[in-house]
Coordinates of all heavy atoms in Angstrom, one line a residue:
R234 N 2.3 65.2 39.0 CA 3.5 66.1 39.0 C 3.1 67.5 38.5 O 3.9 68.4 38.6 CB 4.5 65.5 38.1 CG 4.1 65.3 36.6 CD 5.2 64.7 35.8 NE 4.8 64.5 34.4 CZ 5.7 64.1 33.5 NH1 6.9 63.9 33.8 NH2 5.2 63.9 32.3
F235 N 1.9 67.7 37.9 CA 1.6 69.0 37.4 C 0.9 69.9 38.4 O 0.5 71.0 38.2 CB 0.6 68.9 36.2 CG 1.3 68.2 35.0 CD1 0.8 67.0 34.5 CD2 2.4 68.8 34.4 CE1 1.4 66.4 33.4 CE2 3.0 68.2 33.3 CZ 2.5 67.0 32.8
I236 N 0.6 69.3 39.6 CA 0.0 70.1 40.7 C 0.9 71.2 41.2 O 2.0 71.0 41.5 CB -0.4 69.2 41.9 CG1 -1.3 68.0 41.4 CG2 -1.1 70.0 43.0 CD1 -1.7 67.1 42.5
N237 N 0.3 72.4 41.2 CA 1.1 73.6 41.6 C 1.0 73.9 43.1 O 0.1 73.4 43.8 CB 0.6 74.9 40.8 CG 1.1 74.9 39.4 OD1 2.3 74.7 39.2 ND2 0.3 75.3 38.5
H238 N 2.0 74.7 43.6 CA 2.0 75.0 45.0 C 1.0 76.2 45.2 O 0.8 77.1 44.3 CB 3.4 75.5 45.4 CG 3.5 76.2 46.7 ND1 3.5 75.6 47.9 CD2 3.4 77.6 46.9 CE1 3.6 76.6 48.8 NE2 3.5 77.8 48.2
S239 N 0.5 76.2 46.4 CA -0.3 77.4 46.8 C -0.2 77.5 48.4 O -0.1 76.6 49.1 CB -1.8 77.2 46.5 OG -2.6 78.2 47.0
C240 N -0.1 78.8 48.8 CA -0.1 79.1 50.2 C -1.4 78.9 50.9 O -1.5 78.8 52.1 CB 0.4 80.5 50.5 SG 2.1 80.8 49.9
N241 N -2.5 78.9 50.1 CA -3.8 78.6 50.6 C -4.4 77.4 49.8 O -5.3 77.6 49.0 CB -4.7 79.8 50.5 CG -6.1 79.6 51.2 OD1 -6.2 78.7 52.0 ND2 -7.1 80.4 50.7
P242 N -3.9 76.2 49.9 CA -4.3 75.1 49.0 C -5.6 74.5 49.4 O -6.1 74.7 50.5 CB -3.1 74.1 49.2 CG -2.7 74.3 50.7 CD -2.9 75.8 51.0
N243 N -6.1 73.7 48.4 CA -7.4 73.0 48.6 C -7.1 71.5 48.8 O -8.0 70.7 49.0 CB -8.4 73.1 47.5 CG -7.7 72.8 46.1 OD1 -6.7 72.2 46.0 ND2 -8.4 73.3 45.0
C244 N -5.8 71.1 48.8 CA -5.4 69.7 49.0 C -4.1 69.6 49.9 O -3.5 70.7 50.2 CB -5.1 69.0 47.7 SG -6.6 68.8 46.6
Y245 N -3.8 68.5 50.3 CA -2.6 68.2 51.1 C -2.0 66.9 50.7 O -2.8 66.0 50.3 CB -2.8 68.4 52.6 CG -3.8 67.3 53.2 CD1 -3.3 66.2 53.8 CD2 -5.1 67.5 53.2 CE1 -4.1 65.2 54.3 CE2 -6.0 66.6 53.7 CZ -5.5 65.4 54.3 OH -6.3 64.5 54.8
A246 N -0.7 66.7 50.9 CA -0.1 65.4 50.6 C 0.1 64.6 51.9 O 0.4 65.2 53.0 CB 1.3 65.7 50.0
K247 N 0.0 63.3 51.8 CA 0.1 62.4 52.9 C 0.8 61.1 52.5 O 0.5 60.6 51.4 CB -1.3 62.1 53.5 CG -1.3 61.2 54.7 CD -2.7 61.0 55.2 CE -2.7 60.1 56.5 NZ -4.1 59.9 56.9
V248 N 1.7 60.7 53.4 CA 2.4 59.4 53.1 C 1.6 58.3 53.8 O 1.4 58.3 55.0 CB 3.8 59.5 53.6 CG1 4.5 58.1 53.4 CG2 4.6 60.6 53.0
I249 N 1.2 57.3 53.1 CA 0.5 56.1 53.6 C 1.3 54.9 53.3 O 2.1 54.9 52.3 CB -0.9 56.0 53.1 CG1 -0.9 55.8 51.6 CG2 -1.7 57.3 53.4 CD1 -2.3 55.5 51.0
T250 N 1.0 53.8 54.0 CA 1.7 52.5 53.8 C 0.7 51.5 53.3 O -0.3 51.2 53.9 CB 2.4 52.0 55.1 OG1 3.3 53.0 55.6 CG2 3.1 50.7 54.8
V251 N 1.0 51.0 52.1 CA 0.2 50.0 51.4 C 1.0 48.8 51.1 O 2.0 48.9 50.3 CB -0.5 50.5 50.2 CG1 -1.3 49.4 49.5 CG2 -1.3 51.7 50.5
E252 N 0.7 47.6 51.8 CA 1.5 46.4 51.6 C 3.0 46.6 51.8 O 3.8 46.3 50.9 CB 1.2 45.8 50.2 CG -0.2 45.4 49.9 CD -0.5 44.9 48.5 OE1 0.4 44.9 47.7 OE2 -1.6 44.3 48.3
S253 N 3.3 47.2 52.9 CA 4.7 47.5 53.4 C 5.4 48.4 52.4 O 6.6 48.4 52.4 CB 5.4 46.2 53.5 OG 4.8 45.3 54.4
Q254 N 4.7 49.2 51.6 CA 5.4 50.1 50.7 C 4.7 51.5 50.9 O 3.5 51.7 50.9 CB 5.2 49.7 49.3 CG 5.9 50.6 48.3 CD 5.8 50.1 46.8 OE1 5.0 49.1 46.6 NE2 6.4 50.8 45.9
K255 N 5.6 52.5 51.1 CA 5.2 53.9 51.3 C 4.8 54.5 50.0 O 5.5 54.4 49.0 CB 6.3 54.7 52.0 CG 6.5 54.3 53.5 CD 7.6 55.2 54.1 CE 7.8 54.7 55.5 NZ 8.8 55.6 56.2
K256 N 3.6 55.2 50.1 CA 3.1 55.9 48.9 C 2.7 57.3 49.3 O 2.2 57.5 50.4 CB 1.9 55.1 48.3 CG 2.3 53.7 47.8 CD 1.0 53.1 47.2 CE 1.4 51.7 46.6 NZ 2.3 51.8 45.4
I257 N 2.8 58.2 48.3 CA 2.3 59.6 48.5 C 1.0 59.8 47.8 O 0.9 59.5 46.6 CB 3.4 60.6 48.0 CG1 4.7 60.4 48.7 CG2 2.8 62.0 48.1 CD1 5.8 61.3 48.2
V258 N 0.0 60.2 48.6 CA -1.3 60.4 48.0 C -1.8 61.9 48.3 O -1.5 62.4 49.4 CB -2.3 59.4 48.6 CG1 -3.7 59.6 48.0 CG2 -1.9 58.0 48.4
I259 N -2.4 62.5 47.3 CA -2.9 63.8 47.5 C -4.4 63.7 48.0 O -5.2 63.1 47.3 CB -2.9 64.6 46.2 CG1 -1.4 64.5 45.6 CG2 -3.3 66.1 46.4 CD1 -0.4 65.1 46.5
Y260 N -4.7 64.3 49.1 CA -6.0 64.4 49.7 C -6.7 65.8 49.5 O -5.9 66.8 49.4 CB -6.0 64.1 51.2 CG -5.8 62.7 51.6 CD1 -4.6 62.0 51.5 CD2 -6.9 61.9 52.1 CE1 -4.4 60.7 51.9 CE2 -6.7 60.6 52.5 CZ -5.5 60.0 52.4 OH -5.3 58.7 52.8
S261 N -8.0 65.8 49.5 CA -8.7 67.1 49.4 C -8.9 67.6 50.8 O -9.4 66.9 51.7 CB -10.0 66.9 48.6 OG -10.8 65.9 49.2
K262 N -8.6 68.9 51.0 CA -8.9 69.5 52.3 C -10.3 70.0 52.4 O -10.9 70.1 53.5 CB -8.0 70.7 52.5 CG -6.5 70.4 52.7 CD -5.7 71.6 52.9 CE -6.1 72.5 54.1 NZ -5.2 73.7 54.3
Q263 N -10.9 70.4 51.3 CA -12.3 70.9 51.2 C -12.9 70.5 49.9 O -12.4 69.7 49.2 CB -12.1 72.5 51.2 CG -11.4 73.0 50.0 CD -10.8 74.4 50.3 OE1 -10.4 74.8 51.4 NE2 -10.7 75.2 49.2
H264 N -14.2 70.9 49.8 CA -14.9 70.6 48.6 C -14.3 71.3 47.4 O -14.0 72.5 47.4 CB -16.4 71.0 48.7 CG -17.2 70.7 47.5 ND1 -17.7 69.5 47.1 CD2 -17.6 71.6 46.4 CE1 -18.3 69.5 46.0 NE2 -18.3 70.8 45.5
I265 N -14.1 70.6 46.3 CA -13.5 71.1 45.1 C -14.5 71.1 44.0 O -15.1 70.0 43.7 CB -12.2 70.3 44.7 CG1 -11.2 70.3 45.8 CG2 -11.6 70.8 43.4 CD1 -10.0 69.5 45.6

């Protein structure tokens, strides 16, 4: 929840399904 917004971010958010339950996971777009 402490991740800030950026117009040129190094990560992105993605909704995945794990055991029939939707979860939000933050992925890295580039090397950090």
Side-chain angles (χ1 to χ4, degrees):
R234 62 180 177 171
F235 297 117
I236 301 178
N237 280 317
H238 163 87
S239 176
C240 298
N241 185 23
N243 52 17
C244 293
Y245 64 95
K247 183 179 178 182
V248 179
I249 65 172
T250 303
V251 179
E252 295 179 353
S253 302
Q254 186 177 3
K255 291 183 178 180
K256 296 180 179 292
I257 298 175
V258 181
I259 309 301
Y260 282 78
S261 56
K262 288 179 62 177
Q263 61 200 34
H264 178 79
I265 300 175

